[in-house]
Amino acid sequence: MDLTDYGTSSKTTRGGDIVRILIALAFVVLSGYYAYTHGEGISNISILAIASAFGAYMALNIGANDVANNVGPAVGSKALSMAGAILIAAIFEAAGAIIAGGSVVGTIKKGIINPNAIADVETFIWVMMAALLAGAIWLNLATYLGAPVSTTHSIVGGVMGAGIAAGGWDIANWDKVSAIVASWVISPALGGIIAASFLIYIKRSVMYKSDRIEAAKKVVPLLVALMVWAFSTYLAMKGLKKIWKLDIITALLIGLGLALTVYFIVRPVVDRAANALKNDKDAVNSLFTIPLIVSAALLSFAHGANDVANAIGPLAAINDALMNGGVSTKASIPLWVMLTGGIGIAIGLALFGPKLIRTVGSEITELDKTRAFCVAMAAAITVIIASQLGLPVSSTHIAVGGIFGVGFLREYLKLSYEKKLAQIEKHSTSSGLGEDETHAFVERFKLADVAEKRAILREVKSLRSAAPISRDERKSLKKATKKELVKRSALIRIAAAWVITVPASGILSAIIFYALLGFSVA
């Protein structure tokens, strides 16, 4: 590319950025205008219009940042194109928000502050407006920096910061704050462990077999059935909980019935598809394409139903306070408020989502379809387990933790494999084998399944002893493998963003609250 091409490319990029910003701004303005012209029985319609604009801005940023966790792995593994992922996620996010988002929402997210400690309705409204704007600004900044963060933690931090500014330190529920801090470790750790466990199982039961196709015929239908069980239970508990409440046992039984049905439907389909494939990893990976697309759609639906409250919860609370002249713990959600959240998430995803989708899908570690499937499974199963154990978790942290989990597992397996190869070569050379014989020995090891590899290693040990791999060689292998498979810079950037999300949005919210309070007094 010459300098002229570069200049043209930069101008095109800037032009596209300006168009996206103008479309987002138009949505924010239209949301405020609609609230201003359609608000009924509202004491101060201007305040509602501004709050609606803030809610629309928050919804845009949820779409730009949080939705990447649902579709990023599918895009990174090339199961979905970027355009296809955005289309599916936008449809299912909006559907989840509008169909299953509920008709009532808690006015104080996660019970993070005590609303009774707020002196009057006007102060409560400023607290909610400050929380909305601060959460949205923080999400916007995180998206710009390429850091997937929790939208729930963003709005929680906003509510806490403005609440403390309004009512002092005692207004905060510090037990809830401690639970959120704990989730910074619990969520990614659980997600990583579960995703890595699935990947180990798939590798041992399919990828390390000599006849991968026959192994896949047995294992893939089981995995698809397990996915149906996990996701139907997850959807019943999280995605549909506001319109159909189920206990865990009922949800599991319904999911099990669906899983058994799907197993008997899918097994012959997998058999036919597998028979046409080559006996290699790429071919077996292709069997996970449709399950990944389905999982991305279901995760998006559940996310839209669940996390739309981060945008519309404070807006519904403001609307309720303006209508009734009081502060309540629950507020009804007018249809226009729900549409603001659902449509805003879809527009934000379409306009600004690709950056974080690329970050989650390909910039942390390389994902193929098998690894992406393991991440999706971890997202659903971790939420189910954590919900029953009462553990605080974040879906964002689970998904990203799952990606790091499979990445670090790949590092470990690669390092272990390289050390074994080096050991074989050293033992073979020291035992008097020629270069061709040593090469044949190594190639035999590479093509062997797990059981055969163990037999080869025993054979190696029976050869004349040789010096083990040196410490410097081990360090060199480990260093090279880490650089290749997991980006440490991404880990540091994302972890730092997680830790500062609550305090950053809290401090920003407190500043905005004082500004709004000063404006109202003036």
Side-chain angles (χ1 to χ4, degrees):
M1 177 184 287
D2 60 24
L3 292 178
T4 306
D5 292 334
Y6 179 78
T8 304
S9 176
S10 298
K11 288 178 182 178
T12 302
T13 302
R14 286 196 297 271
D17 289 342
I18 291 171
V19 169
R20 285 192 291 272
I21 291 170
L22 288 175
I23 293 172
L25 183 61
F27 175 72
V28 170
V29 171
L30 285 173
S31 297
Y33 177 76
Y34 186 90
Y36 186 81
T37 55
H38 289 78
E40 297 179 1
I42 300 297
S43 58
N44 191 329
I45 197 68
S46 297
I47 295 298
L48 182 64
I50 295 171
S52 179
F54 288 176
Y57 179 40
M58 180 64 172
L60 288 170
N61 282 289
I62 291 174
N65 191 292
D66 213 23
V67 180
N69 306 306
N70 303 326
V71 298
V75 173
S77 66
K78 297 181 173 56
L80 277 171
S81 65
M82 181 68 76
I86 289 173
L87 179 62
I88 288 173
I91 291 171
F92 281 88
E93 285 278 343
I98 295 167
I99 295 171
S103 58
V104 176
V105 69
T107 56
I108 304 297
K109 185 72 178 177
K110 299 287 186 185
I112 199 71
I113 64 170
N114 177 15
N116 297 325
I118 297 177
D120 53 59
V121 175
E122 185 178 2
T123 302
F124 175 78
I125 290 171
W126 297 138
V127 167
M128 291 294 102
M129 289 183 70
L132 261 182
L133 185 56
I137 291 173
W138 170 248
L139 280 175
N140 200 334
L141 178 61
T143 303
Y144 175 76
L145 296 174
V149 297
S150 169
T151 56
T152 300
H153 289 183
S154 300
I155 198 66
V156 162
V159 169
M160 186 173 71
I164 291 173
W169 292 98
D170 292 337
I171 197 174
N173 184 340
W174 293 106
D175 289 338
K176 293 286 187 181
V177 176
S178 299
I180 289 171
V181 171
S183 76
W184 298 340
V185 176
I186 294 171
S187 298
L190 274 177
I193 290 168
I194 293 174
S197 299
F198 270 103
L199 185 57
I200 278 283
Y201 172 73
I202 293 173
K203 282 184 174 293
R204 288 184 174 274
S205 60
V206 180
M207 298 302 184
Y208 292 163
K209 296 292 186 182
S210 299
D211 191 340
R212 297 186 182 94
I213 298 302
E214 284 303 314
K217 288 179 182 180
K218 297 174 183 177
V219 174
V220 172
L222 287 173
L223 289 172
V224 171
L226 185 59
M227 185 198 82
V228 171
W229 192 7
F231 272 89
S232 56
T233 304
Y234 173 80
L235 199 62
M237 290 176 58
K238 302 297 286 185
L240 302 175
K241 66 179 183 180
K242 294 176 184 176
I243 59 176
W244 185 29
K245 288 189 177 181
L246 292 174
D247 61 88
I248 180 63
I249 301 300
T250 304
L252 284 170
L253 289 174
I254 292 173
L256 179 59
L258 290 171
L260 290 172
T261 303
V262 167
Y263 174 80
F264 289 109
I265 294 172
V266 165
R267 185 165 184 175
V269 175
V270 171
D271 281 348
R272 287 194 297 272
N275 286 332
L277 298 176
K278 295 180 180 179
N279 186 32
D280 58 38
K281 291 182 180 179
D282 289 339
V284 173
N285 258 301
S286 67
L287 295 174
F288 290 93
T289 301
I290 293 176
L292 269 175
I293 294 172
V294 173
S295 70
L298 293 179
L299 282 171
S300 296
F301 184 90
H303 179 269
N306 221 34
D307 279 30
V308 69
N310 292 327
I312 66 170
L315 177 55
I318 293 167
N319 180 72
D320 184 79
L322 289 171
M323 286 185 65
N324 301 317
V327 178
S328 58
T329 57
K330 294 285 184 181
S332 61
I333 308 174
L335 179 60
W336 69 268
V337 172
M338 188 63 77
L339 289 172
T340 297
I343 296 173
I345 289 174
I347 293 175
L349 169 66
L351 294 177
F352 306 107
K355 180 173 184 176
L356 264 293
I357 290 174
R358 279 189 288 269
T359 296
V360 171
S362 58
E363 293 180 8
I364 296 173
T365 192
E366 182 184 343
L367 292 174
D368 59 17
K369 295 178 180 66
T370 302
R371 296 170 203 143
F373 177 83
C374 295
V375 173
M377 290 293 291
I381 292 174
T382 304
V383 170
I384 294 169
I385 293 172
S387 297
Q388 294 314 298
L389 296 178
L391 298 174
V393 293
S394 160
S395 59
T396 298
H397 296 178
I398 292 167
V400 176
I403 293 170
F404 277 111
V406 299
F408 285 124
L409 175 64
R410 291 178 62 221
E411 276 193 2
Y412 170 77
L413 293 176
K414 174 111 178 186
L415 178 61
S416 177
Y417 183 72
E418 295 291 342
K419 285 166 73 173
K420 285 183 174 67
L421 284 180
Q423 204 166 27
I424 289 171
E425 290 178 357
K426 277 203 167 190
H427 278 68
S428 301
T429 304
S430 65
S431 62
L433 295 180
E435 185 177 334
D436 291 342
E437 291 172 304
T438 299
H439 178 72
F441 212 83
V442 170
E443 288 302 311
R444 178 182 154 204
F445 180 81
K446 289 180 179 179
L447 296 173
D449 62 19
V450 174
E452 291 168 342
K453 278 183 168 65
R454 288 173 181 160
I456 292 171
L457 289 173
R458 285 195 296 270
E459 187 179 341
V460 166
K461 289 179 181 178
S462 69
L463 297 172
R464 189 171 55 187
S465 62
I469 303 173
S470 70
R471 188 175 179 182
D472 288 342
E473 287 171 324
R474 286 199 303 271
K475 281 185 177 180
S476 177
L477 279 170
K478 190 173 182 180
K479 188 176 180 182
T481 304
K482 281 187 176 180
K483 282 184 177 179
E484 181 183 353
L485 301 184
V486 177
K487 291 187 179 178
R488 279 2 183 223
S489 59
L491 173 61
I492 294 169
R493 183 180 75 248
I494 292 170
W498 287 355
V499 171
I500 66 173
T501 288
V502 172
S505 58
I507 292 169
L508 184 59
S509 182
I511 294 170
I512 294 172
F513 170 78
Y514 284 125
L516 291 172
L517 197 62
F519 173 78
S520 67
V521 171

